[in-house]
């Protein structure tokens, strides 16, 4: 399966590239656009982006794997990212993570069999004022405790 | 304008734009480092080269219009800084050995070793490893890390290189090498923080003509050459500085041998020739020394004889031709051998046609970083031009063949030190039919050796002293790395022994340097040169214009 940007996305990317001094500087948004299109970024998409931006595929792989916020192939429908940095940790992030793990039956970087949930610890989500913070896909869920986790899971399961 | 500053109290000088580390190294001040490499861009990620830097004191304040002195500016603040990235400035003071610097380095070393497997007993880098050296000099004797270590992948990155990821300190030298020198960009660092490790994109292996240099630039045992893997402990190997003969560039190399077998070649820094690099084909060319079918005994008419008997037979038969002689010498022979070859031919006949034999050309390749693999796969074309002249080089072999076909030549001397020469069918036919064929060669499979009446086993450039002239007209040394097999001897000696048979006879055999000095007395390109002067890095030929551009 090979990846190609849709004509609209490609036009959008081409316009975006012009805003940077060098075209390789558009790497991060290009990866984000690939993710938007396919739901995740696979090796084909990385090669396609590399070709457009005139960098080696290895360079794209290096940048892609540096960040945790891109969805890799095999990621579940709901990517649950539990903040593990200090303020959240002080407010019980560890217990929140363990609750997710116990309820979903998966560990760090694992995906449920039904492909619904992937669980991850991540670094600071910049929501320290409302710790514990968990980011599910693009949404923040704040002031969580181990007790409120099952409710959140239920809501996520009900959502489409 | 040079910039003057001090390192450890020593006055040193640098150029504008330089950073502290190269200036310190140039002045023999030891500063440890991992990620810095003089041939690559600065990265500054390993933090090992920390030094204390104090900027120059500001000039004393001048009295204002009211005659009062403004408050004195604060004294310059000194700080720990990585010397590879710190620009030099006039009046700066650098300290590389203060207690806080040493303590900081110790801290860096402790971090570098947190996830290191300490598998030195089975690591090929052991003995030439920056981690070992720096750990010994700058590290702590024990670690304080009790957490679980990160294990990383061990896998093949391409046909020539494997990675032991757990040994990697993520200095990014290899990544910068493929980005900047080869321009192929196969390598990258995947993941982040203590998970990061060097890798390739799936399906795009590290596979380029300089790929094995990635192992050279790796300061630790993370990148390992498939060719050298588990072959030898480096401290058992003996080093010799010599040249690669794979093309007319003449890359400077260090050849290392164990038990008279060459174990590997490594490029040797020479900014006038190959910088720090060499191609994979050249690096693996050491295998030629162990090619099957090396000539190991002298033969006359197919019968094994002693070297002295063969030398005598060679002289007798060549001189018996009464001047109807010709000669061919390979472009893999040294200047000294070509010179002796010419002397012998002149003794036999003032008008003897002389020609050259060569390996066929390959593709010329230039890389992003400027490194070139020349298409001319012969190491000494420029030397042949200087010693034998343009005519012998360009049309000599044809002239020899035409003279043979016209019947004015019935004895032929062939001198070769090359593994595979491109011999045309016409030359092959001549070799098969000429009445007297005296051959100094290295392989049984060579056309000349096959038809030889008198055959003397000679040496390859790994087994002898001599000089080559590279494509830019630079005179460079080859040195014996290993002993020749069997009775094989350098053509340098054999040719002198044959010349010594010329009445009234002689017995002296000069060393390479002795012949080279004679060469310097006769040939302008080598005027007054000696091996001492040529040294490890070579010198430009005296008449560069004549010697260059094959």
């Amino acid at each position: 399966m090979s990846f190609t940007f849709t004509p609209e996305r490609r036009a959008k990317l081409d316009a975006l590239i012009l805003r940077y001094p060098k075209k390789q500087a558009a790497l991060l948004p290009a990866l984000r656009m690939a993710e938007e299109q396919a739901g995740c970024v696979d090796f084909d998409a990385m090669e396609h982006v590399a070709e457009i931006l005139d960098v080696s595929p290895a360079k794209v792989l290096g940048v892609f794997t540096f960040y945790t916020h891109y969805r890799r192939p095999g990621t579940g429908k709901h990517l649950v990212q539990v903040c593990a940095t200090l303020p959240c940790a002080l407010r019980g992030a560890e217990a929140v993570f363990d609750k997710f793990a116990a309820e979903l039956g998966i560990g760090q970087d694992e995906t449920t069999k039904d492909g619904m949930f992937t669980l991850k610890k991540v670094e600071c989500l910049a929501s320290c004022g409302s710790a514990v913070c968990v980011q599910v896909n693009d949404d923040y869920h704040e002031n969580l405790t181990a007790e409120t986790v099952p409710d959140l899971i239920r809501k996520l399961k009900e959502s489409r | 304008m040079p910039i003057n500053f001090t390192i450890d109290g020593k006055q040193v000088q640098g150029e504008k734009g330089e950073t502290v580390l190269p200036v310190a190294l140039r002045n023999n001040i030891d500063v440890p480092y991992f990620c810095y490499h003089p041939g690559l861009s600065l990265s500054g990620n390993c933090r090992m080269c920390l030094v204390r830097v104090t900027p120059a004191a500001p000039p004393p304040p001048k009295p204002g219009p009211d005659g009062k002195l403004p408050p004195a500016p604060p004294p310059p603040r000194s700080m720990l800084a990585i010397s590879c990235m710190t620009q030099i400035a006039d009046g700066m003071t650098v300290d590389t050995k203060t207690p806080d610097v040493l303590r900081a380095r110790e801290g860096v070393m402790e971090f570098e070793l947190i996830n290191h497997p300490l598998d030195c007993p089975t690591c090929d880098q052991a003995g030439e490893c920056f981690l070992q050296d720096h750990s010994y000099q700058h590290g702590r004797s024990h670690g304080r890390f009790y957490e679980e270590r990160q294990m990383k992948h061990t896998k093949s990155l391409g046909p020539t290189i494997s990675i032991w990821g757990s040994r990697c300190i993520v200095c990014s030298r290899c990544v910068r090498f493929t980005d900047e020198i080869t321009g192929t960009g196969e390598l990258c660092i995947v993941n982040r923080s203590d998970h990061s490790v060097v890798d390739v994109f799936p399906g795009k292996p590290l596979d380029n003509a300089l790929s094995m240099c990635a192992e050279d630039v790796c300061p630790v045992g993370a990148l390992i050459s498939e060719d050298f893997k588990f072959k030898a402990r480096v401290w058992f190997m003996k080093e010799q500085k010599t040249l690669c003969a794979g093309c007319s560039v003449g890359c400077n190399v260090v050849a290392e041998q164990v038990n008279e077998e060459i174990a590997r070649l490594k490029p040797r820094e020479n900014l006038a020739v190959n910088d720090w690099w060499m191609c994979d084909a050249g690096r693996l060319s050491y295998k030629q020394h162990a090619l099957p079918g090396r000539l190991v005994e002298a033969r006359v008419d197919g019968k094994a004889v002693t070297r002295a008997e063969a030398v005598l037979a060679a002289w007798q038969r060549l001189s018996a031709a009464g001047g109807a002689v010709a000669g061919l010498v390979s472009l893999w022979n040294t200047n000294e051998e070509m010179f002796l070859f010419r002397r012998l031919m002149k003794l036999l006949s003032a008008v003897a046609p002389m020609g050259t034999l060569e390996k066929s050309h390959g593709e010329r390749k230039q890389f992003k970083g400027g490194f070139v693999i020349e298409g001319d796969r012969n190491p000494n074309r420029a030397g042949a031009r200087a010693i034998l002249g343009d005519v012998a080089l360009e049309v000599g072999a044809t002239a020899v063949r035409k003279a043979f076909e016209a019947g004015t030549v019935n004895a032929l001397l062939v001198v070769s030190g090359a593994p595979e020469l491109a011999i045309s069918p016409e030359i092959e036919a001549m070799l098969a039919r000429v009445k007297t064929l005296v051959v100094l060669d290295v392989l049984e499979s060579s056309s000349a050796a096959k038809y030889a009446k008198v055959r003397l086993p000679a040496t390859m450039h790994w087994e002898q002293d001599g000089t080559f002239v590279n494509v830019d007209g630079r005179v460079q040394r080859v040195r014996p790395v290993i002993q020749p097999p069997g009775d094989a001897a350098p053509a340098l000696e054999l040719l002198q022994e044959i010349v010594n048979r010329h009445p009234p006879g002689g017995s002296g055999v000069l060393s390479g340097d002795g012949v080279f000095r004679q060469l310097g007395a006769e040939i302008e390109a080598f005027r007054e040169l000696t091996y001492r002067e040529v040294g490890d890095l070579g010198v430009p030929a005296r008449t560069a214009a004549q010697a260059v551009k094959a």
Side-chain angles (χ1 to χ4, degrees):
Chain A
M1 186 195 84
S2 75
F3 177 94
T4 318
F5 278 123
T6 58
E8 302 78 54
R9 276 213 173 70
R10 180 59 200 265
K12 204 174 135 196
L13 177 58
D14 288 342
L16 193 67
I17 286 171
L18 296 176
R19 289 168 42 183
Y20 293 96
K22 281 198 242 161
K23 52 174 174 174
Q24 68 190 70
L27 181 48
L28 293 182
L31 285 171
R32 184 61 87 203
M33 286 166 74
E35 184 190 33
E36 278 167 17
Q37 182 174 320
C40 68
V41 186
D42 61 8
F43 292 130
D44 288 328
M46 286 185 228
E47 267 192 80
H48 186 59
V49 167
E51 203 177 295
I52 293 171
L53 300 182
D54 203 14
V55 295
S56 72
K59 181 104 183 167
V60 178
L61 178 68
V63 170
F64 174 80
T65 55
F66 180 87
Y67 294 101
T68 49
H69 62 223
Y70 291 111
R71 290 169 75 99
R72 304 184 184 200
T75 303
K77 184 179 168 199
H78 301 293
L79 175 58
V80 178
Q81 303 166 75
V82 183
C83 175
T85 308
L86 188 62
C88 285
L90 290 172
R91 299 255 293 158
E94 196 69 22
V96 169
F97 181 88
D98 290 345
K99 192 70 185 173
F100 268 109
E103 290 282 316
L104 299 172
I106 51 175
Q108 160 75 358
D109 263 340
E110 288 176 359
T111 304
T112 51
K113 283 207 184 76
D114 59 4
M116 286 294 281
F117 292 94
T118 296
L119 184 57
K120 254 186 178 179
K121 272 184 198 167
V122 297
E123 298 307 328
C124 188
L125 294 172
S127 186
C128 309
S130 54
V132 172
C133 179
V134 171
Q135 184 182 352
V136 180
N137 297 342
D138 290 337
D139 300 324
Y140 274 14
H141 300 270
E142 298 164 308
N143 295 312
L144 289 182
T145 62
E147 287 70 46
T148 57
V149 165
D151 193 40
L152 175 57
I153 292 176
R154 190 179 47 77
K155 278 189 200 148
L156 290 171
K157 277 182 177 161
E158 283 165 6
S159 73
R160 230 130 303 157
Chain B
M1 264 273 287
I3 290 174
N4 293 292
F5 65 109
T6 62
I7 306 180
D8 292 347
K10 183 177 172 180
Q11 273 293 332
V12 295
Q13 233 178 39
E15 293 299 318
K16 188 171 159 46
E18 270 194 298
T19 59
V20 171
L21 182 56
V23 180
L25 297 175
R26 201 160 64 222
N27 286 283
N28 295 321
I29 296 164
D30 179 41
V31 178
Y33 58 87
F34 292 107
C35 73
Y36 169 79
H37 188 291
L40 302 173
S41 63
L42 297 172
S43 177
N45 66 53
C46 79
R47 321 308 290 183
M48 192 64 200
C49 65
L50 282 169
V51 292
R52 180 155 285 281
V53 175
T54 315
K62 289 189 186 113
D66 54 356
K68 277 195 208 153
L69 275 178
R77 250 183 72 216
S78 85
M79 62 198 129
L80 285 181
I82 49 173
S83 59
C84 68
M85 295 284 261
T86 305
Q87 298 267 329
I88 60 173
D90 265 316
M92 172 193 260
T93 308
V94 176
D95 290 297
T96 73
K97 307 222 163 27
T98 52
D100 57 335
V101 169
L102 299 182
R103 200 162 57 242
R105 280 183 199 157
E106 197 177 276
V108 172
M109 266 322 292
E110 199 176 359
F111 271 117
E112 300 286 9
L113 291 176
I114 276 182
N115 286 314
H116 192 76
L118 299 177
D119 57 348
C120 307
T122 59
C123 176
D124 281 304
Q125 190 84 3
E128 52 181 17
C129 174
F130 282 40
L131 263 182
Q132 284 184 329
D133 295 348
H134 294 344
S135 179
Y136 181 79
Q137 281 186 11
H138 308 283
R140 304 161 53 91
S141 56
H142 62 276
R144 294 177 293 179
F145 189 72
Y146 295 105
E147 316 297 321
E148 201 169 320
R149 288 177 183 223
Q150 290 291 335
M151 293 295 287
K152 293 168 196 167
H153 59 219
T154 297
K155 64 185 230 185
S156 163
L157 293 182
T160 56
I161 298 285
S162 292
I163 181 164
W164 264 252
S166 297
R167 296 175 188 159
C168 179
I169 58 165
V170 204
C171 69
S172 81
R173 271 183 174 195
C174 55
V175 177
R176 282 176 278 150
F177 173 76
T178 57
D179 281 351
E180 297 160 17
I181 306 301
T182 64
T184 47
E186 295 105 329
L187 296 180
C188 65
I189 292 168
V190 296
N191 298 331
R192 183 167 63 188
S193 175
D194 62 343
H195 290 67
S196 53
V197 64
V198 171
D199 204 349
V200 290
F201 193 85
K204 306 227 179 290
L206 174 63
D207 191 4
N208 63 63
L210 305 182
S211 64
M212 293 172 85
C213 294
E215 193 261 331
D216 296 336
V217 297
C218 182
V220 302
L223 296 191
I224 291 291
S225 143
E226 282 296 330
D227 181 57
F228 185 67
K229 188 167 74 178
F230 308 142
K231 207 186 223 175
R233 305 308 281 164
V234 299
W235 51 86
F236 290 130
M237 304 202 291
K238 285 192 204 117
E239 287 188 358
Q240 182 65 285
K241 290 173 184 166
T242 185
L243 302 179
C244 171
C247 78
S248 57
V249 170
C251 286
N252 290 216
V253 301
V254 172
E256 289 165 293
Q257 60 103 345
V258 198
N259 299 329
E260 297 302 326
E261 293 283 334
I262 302 178
R264 69 171 173 187
L265 300 185
K266 278 191 155 232
R268 176 159 62 85
E269 176 181 338
N270 187 340
L271 298 181
V273 182
N274 56 313
D275 296 346
W276 299 266
W277 325 119
M278 75 185 294
C279 72
D280 292 354
R283 191 186 296 255
L284 296 174
S285 68
Y286 74 85
K287 295 183 185 228
Q288 291 159 352
H289 86 275
L291 279 176
R294 280 293 299 270
L295 297 180
V296 292
E297 58 182 15
R299 287 200 182 162
V300 175
D301 297 326
K303 220 174 98 234
V305 296
T306 65
R307 170 165 158 184
E309 285 166 340
V311 163
L312 182 62
W315 169 256
Q316 283 171 342
R317 296 196 188 190
L318 288 172
S319 55
V325 292
L328 294 170
V329 64
S330 85
L331 297 183
W332 278 58
N333 285 90
T334 61
N335 296 317
E336 293 77 356
E337 289 165 350
M338 287 178 180
F339 175 67
L340 291 167
F341 165 83
R342 192 184 79 147
R343 178 186 289 169
L344 176 56
M345 294 314 295
K346 296 277 178 215
L347 275 180
L348 292 165
S349 156
V351 294
M354 289 183 284
T356 54
L357 298 171
E358 59 184 85
K359 270 180 90 162
S360 39
H361 278 235
E363 186 197 348
R364 185 182 195 272
K365 242 179 160 175
Q366 178 149 16
F367 295 85
K368 186 180 175 190
F371 185 84
V372 172
I373 301 173
E374 283 294 339
D376 178 8
R377 298 290 150 86
N378 300 282
N380 202 21
R381 182 181 301 272
R385 195 181 291 282
I387 294 162
L388 303 173
D390 288 340
V391 175
L393 187 63
E394 306 297 346
V395 292
T398 316
V400 169
R401 185 172 55 81
K402 289 208 168 126
F404 166 74
E405 279 162 8
T408 58
V409 161
N410 57 32
L412 187 62
L413 169 68
V414 177
V415 179
S416 163
E420 308 142 344
L421 293 171
I423 306 264
S424 68
E426 295 83 16
I427 297 280
E428 173 114 18
M430 170 180 70
L431 293 171
R433 281 164 44 219
V434 69
K435 187 169 151 248
T436 298
L437 179 63
V438 176
V439 174
L440 281 60
D441 207 342
V442 290
L443 286 182
E444 269 170 23
S445 55
S446 97
S447 317
K450 235 174 358 199
Y451 303 116
K453 307 290 190 305
V454 178
R455 195 183 84 180
L456 281 150
T459 54
M460 292 185 184
H461 68 284
W462 311 112
E463 300 149 1
Q464 65 182 63
D465 254 319
T467 54
F468 288 145
V469 184
N470 85 349
V471 64
D472 296 319
R474 192 173 185 85
V475 185
Q476 307 193 96
R477 274 294 294 286
V478 290
R479 293 191 177 90
V481 182
I482 49 171
Q483 293 298 312
D487 290 340
L492 177 87
E493 293 171 19
L494 298 172
L495 286 168
Q496 290 188 78
E497 288 168 16
I498 298 174
V499 169
N500 281 342
R501 295 288 156 191
H502 181 254
S507 60
V509 173
L510 292 174
S511 68
D513 191 33
V515 176
F516 190 62
R517 285 166 196 250
Q518 292 185 342
L519 182 61
E522 268 190 52
I523 310 266
E524 182 58 18
F526 306 97
R527 180 168 41 83
E528 289 169 12
L529 283 180
T530 62
Y531 276 6
R532 199 189 175 90
E533 195 170 335
V534 172
D536 288 342
L537 298 177
V539 291
R542 303 293 193 197
T543 49
Q546 276 175 36
V548 293
K549 296 304 167 201

